[in-house]
Amino acid sequence: MEGSSIELRQEVFQSDAWKIVHWLEDDKVTEYLNERQNVGKSIKQVIQRVNMPILTHLFNQNGSFFMITTEEDEPVGFLRLVPKQNGAEMVIVIGDREKWGQGLGSHAIVEGLKHAFFKWRSEEVIAKINFKNERSRRVFKKVGFVEEKKLAIETQYSISMAKFLKLAA
């Protein structure tokens, strides 16, 4: 895949949390996110209340949270895996808009799939993507996700471990 390589880092530092707040305050970044309103404000309050340099435990409730970083450890977004019945749901945000269109999203999705399939032993990973979010729909299909079903305002895409292994071969 084209684009520079990225890494998923599980540690979330205070500086990362401030970056996330900044990204979540950008309407272009959050345009299609299902996150509840004011999540940026909630994170800000937590950072101020919990005076700790590492906030990993706060972001890993109800799943696994990763900072998407460049090889230079520069945060460019985040990825979250949420356990579901026989698999996981993936949410990904490239928050640094200057990095959009460079292939970082597809690299991050592949790394997230490796975690879901090889560490969690998930059978399937799904992603729910807003109908209007053409960029996300395109990148998930590029990685191998297929349209599974239409929901109220989004389409659910999925990929099985067997399909992922075939694509990787």
Side-chain angles (χ1 to χ4, degrees):
M1 274 185 239
E2 85 287 344
S4 54
S5 95
I6 59 92
E7 293 175 4
L8 298 183
R9 171 169 43 83
Q10 280 213 269
E11 290 78 32
V12 180
F13 301 104
Q14 195 176 72
S15 60
D16 297 326
W18 283 115
K19 267 225 159 78
I20 292 167
V21 167
H22 174 72
W23 295 331
L24 294 176
E25 289 172 345
D26 183 334
D27 291 340
K28 279 277 181 225
V29 172
T30 61
E31 187 173 8
Y32 302 116
L33 267 185
N34 292 335
E35 302 298 326
R36 63 182 206 281
Q37 294 298 320
N38 300 322
V39 74
K41 194 183 287 184
S42 307
I43 295 170
K44 215 183 280 189
Q45 290 169 346
V46 167
I47 297 168
Q48 292 164 343
R49 195 177 66 240
V50 180
N51 190 16
M52 297 170 69
I54 300 176
L55 304 170
T56 308
H57 64 290
L58 299 171
F59 284 88
N60 279 288
Q61 297 172 7
N62 307 317
S64 287
F65 187 92
F66 303 90
M67 291 303 298
I68 302 169
T69 63
T70 61
E71 290 174 318
E72 298 79 37
D73 202 33
E74 174 200 348
V76 293
F78 61 86
L79 184 143
R80 197 169 76 218
L81 290 172
V82 181
K84 296 292 176 191
Q85 195 167 358
N86 61 348
E89 181 175 349
M90 182 183 290
V91 177
I92 177 175
V93 172
I94 300 298
D96 183 344
R97 286 202 288 152
E98 291 179 20
K99 300 284 193 276
W100 285 6
Q102 296 182 16
L104 300 178
S106 53
H107 283 276
I109 292 167
V110 168
E111 292 304 311
L113 289 172
K114 288 178 188 174
H115 188 88
F117 292 137
F118 305 140
K119 290 209 167 62
W120 284 15
R121 300 286 187 224
S122 297
E123 294 173 28
E124 168 183 72
V125 175
I126 64 165
K128 295 176 183 172
I129 304 170
N130 186 294
F131 295 138
K132 298 175 187 166
N133 191 344
E134 208 42 58
R135 183 182 296 264
S136 283
R137 290 163 45 128
R138 198 169 41 245
V139 74
F140 274 91
K141 285 182 197 172
K142 173 183 170 186
V143 171
F145 279 72
V146 293
E147 192 174 309
E148 195 172 70
K149 61 184 168 188
K150 295 217 181 288
L151 305 167
I153 59 166
E154 58 205 4
T155 303
Q156 180 170 308
Y157 293 84
S158 67
I159 188 170
S160 66
M161 181 190 268
K163 180 167 184 195
F164 180 67
L165 291 173
K166 251 187 225 159
L167 293 171

